[in-house]
Amino acid sequence: MLDARLNFFKNSDFAILFTSFLFVRLIFAYYLPLGVDEAYQITVGRQLDWSYYDHPPLSFWAPSIFAIIFGSESPLIYRLPAIIFGSITVYALYGIGMLIKGKDAAFLSAFLYSVSPFFLFSGGVFVVPDGPLNAAICMTLFLFIKSRSSEKNYNIQLFLIGLCLAVSFLSKYQAVLVPLALLFYFLVSKKRVYWILYSRIWIIALVGVLGFLPTLIWNYSEGWPSLTFHTARANVEFSLINFLKMFFGQIIYLSPPTVFLSIWAVFCVHRDEKINFLFYPALFIIISFNIVYIMGAEGFPHWTMPGWMLSLPLVGVFISQKSGPLRRK
């Protein structure tokens, strides 16, 4: 049963935040015309397949399945899965904040996500892979952190974490950066032997890999077109201009105050084990793609967004850590 602290109906501030932005996303979904990327995903996704040329299949499957279920092809119905995924992400970020620091940190992380332009639209309205990716990553880490405080039904908890990881692999290729970052943390941690040999973490890995199988099967049968497409973007020519352009895009997508707070929090927050489960994936994703940008690769600013998303609970924790001594004075 879900911890009572994580029931947002018992926290009126979060309930208002959650329902208000849910209503805003529904309004945008109803009135905004479909974009080019959305029309592409909807059109291609009408033919259900194991995977697709540029992305894994989930964001192609979801709108088509909902259109069939509801018998409608309105933009709102096509966007309904994105709205659901966006709502899951907000709740998961709130849950992460509650588990790490408490109500104030939880509310701030959910608020910053909700008001950031990229996460409001591409993470919760538009028919693109970012919505399911964000939801799956946040639920993976939320359940993982939650499992650290409870041994009850531990194997079931690990299975659910693996299931969320599988959903992330079904959403977008960059999902692989999260387990890689955690693997790095486990290897440098003093508990590395426990994590690798005794923690039963292999349950997560085995279930998670199942989410990558449809994409793997499709690419193998088609001659690896996705690999060809994405590696063609690679470049090894240093380009400060490209980096500055991409970084400016990240600032616009998140908003300048959120970027400033996130950078400050990542480097100054007092870390413990729970915080490290966010710190390493956040930093790994942000640094990895900004290295890609500075090497001049053809890319987009939103590639780093999952990393910035995972920094938002750190902002809530950091501000709570800073405000605590002030309240005691």
Side-chain angles (χ1 to χ4, degrees):
M1 183 176 293
L2 189 63
D3 191 323
R5 295 177 307 158
L6 303 178
N7 185 346
F8 71 80
F9 290 109
K10 294 186 177 181
N11 296 279
S12 59
D13 290 343
F14 180 71
I16 293 171
L17 173 72
F18 183 92
T19 54
S20 297
F21 279 94
L22 175 59
F23 179 74
V24 168
R25 291 198 301 273
L26 286 167
I27 293 297
F28 280 130
Y30 182 80
Y31 284 104
L32 287 178
L34 292 171
V36 174
D37 288 344
E38 293 181 283
Y40 162 72
Q41 293 225 169
I42 290 168
T43 302
V44 173
R46 284 173 176 162
Q47 181 177 343
L48 297 178
D49 206 342
W50 285 103
S51 190
Y52 299 90
Y53 181 70
D54 46 355
H55 294 297
L58 184 55
S59 60
F60 294 89
W61 290 346
S64 293
I65 291 172
F66 269 64
I68 293 170
I69 291 172
F70 288 95
S72 171
E73 295 192 7
S74 72
L76 177 60
I77 296 301
Y78 281 131
R79 287 167 170 163
L80 198 54
I83 294 170
I84 294 171
F85 285 124
S87 299
I88 291 172
T89 306
V90 174
Y91 183 80
L93 285 171
Y94 172 78
I96 290 170
M98 284 291 290
L99 291 171
I100 293 178
K101 191 65 179 178
K103 184 178 178 180
D104 291 343
F107 180 85
L108 185 56
S109 61
F111 174 78
L112 289 175
Y113 181 89
S114 299
V115 300
S116 296
F118 178 83
F119 295 130
L120 174 62
F121 291 101
S122 199
V125 175
F126 295 155
V127 183
V128 289
D130 303 283
L133 175 71
N134 292 343
I137 288 175
C138 283
M139 283 302 298
T140 298
L141 294 175
F142 165 55
L143 292 174
F144 191 81
I145 294 171
K146 189 172 183 291
S147 73
R148 303 304 305 143
S149 58
S150 173
E151 290 292 327
K152 186 178 180 181
N153 299 321
Y154 190 54
N155 288 339
I156 295 176
Q157 292 186 69
L158 294 182
F159 175 81
L160 293 175
I161 296 167
L163 198 60
C164 291
L165 184 62
V167 173
S168 74
F169 289 154
L170 280 169
S171 302
K172 208 168 183 179
Y173 289 111
Q174 67 197 73
V176 73
L177 295 178
V178 173
L180 285 178
L182 291 177
L183 177 62
F184 175 79
Y185 168 56
F186 296 155
L187 292 175
V188 300
S189 169
K190 293 179 181 179
K191 297 182 179 180
R192 65 176 68 89
V193 175
Y194 166 78
W195 284 114
I196 295 173
L197 298 180
Y198 303 113
S199 67
R200 289 175 286 179
I201 204 165
W202 51 269
I203 297 176
I204 298 174
L206 288 175
V207 177
V209 158
L210 295 177
F212 192 65
L213 285 181
T215 303
L216 188 64
I217 292 170
W218 182 84
N219 272 277
Y220 175 77
S221 64
E222 298 293 331
W224 308 102
S226 297
L227 182 64
T228 303
F229 171 69
H230 288 292
T231 54
R233 293 172 163 177
N235 203 337
V236 290
E237 183 179 352
F238 179 84
S239 175
L240 182 60
I241 296 298
N242 188 66
F243 169 76
L244 293 175
K245 182 173 67 175
M246 292 295 106
F247 190 72
F248 181 73
Q250 294 170 69
I251 293 174
I252 296 300
Y253 283 177
L254 281 170
S255 80
T258 302
V259 171
F260 171 76
L261 288 171
S262 295
I263 294 173
W264 192 13
V266 164
F267 288 102
C268 297
V269 69
H270 298 300
R271 304 203 318 262
D272 57 20
E273 183 183 72
K274 291 180 179 178
I275 290 176
N276 279 332
F277 293 141
L278 297 175
F279 173 82
Y280 278 89
L283 209 59
F284 194 81
I285 294 170
I286 293 169
I287 291 176
S288 296
F289 281 116
N290 276 289
I291 290 174
V292 170
Y293 299 149
I294 204 167
M295 295 308 296
E298 295 180 9
F300 300 96
H302 70 268
W303 288 356
T304 61
M305 290 300 110
W308 293 111
M309 174 184 67
L310 295 178
S311 75
L312 300 181
L314 301 182
V315 174
V317 172
F318 176 67
I319 291 178
S320 296
Q321 290 174 347
K322 288 294 183 182
S323 61
L326 294 176
R327 286 197 294 264
R328 290 195 293 269
K329 290 182 180 181

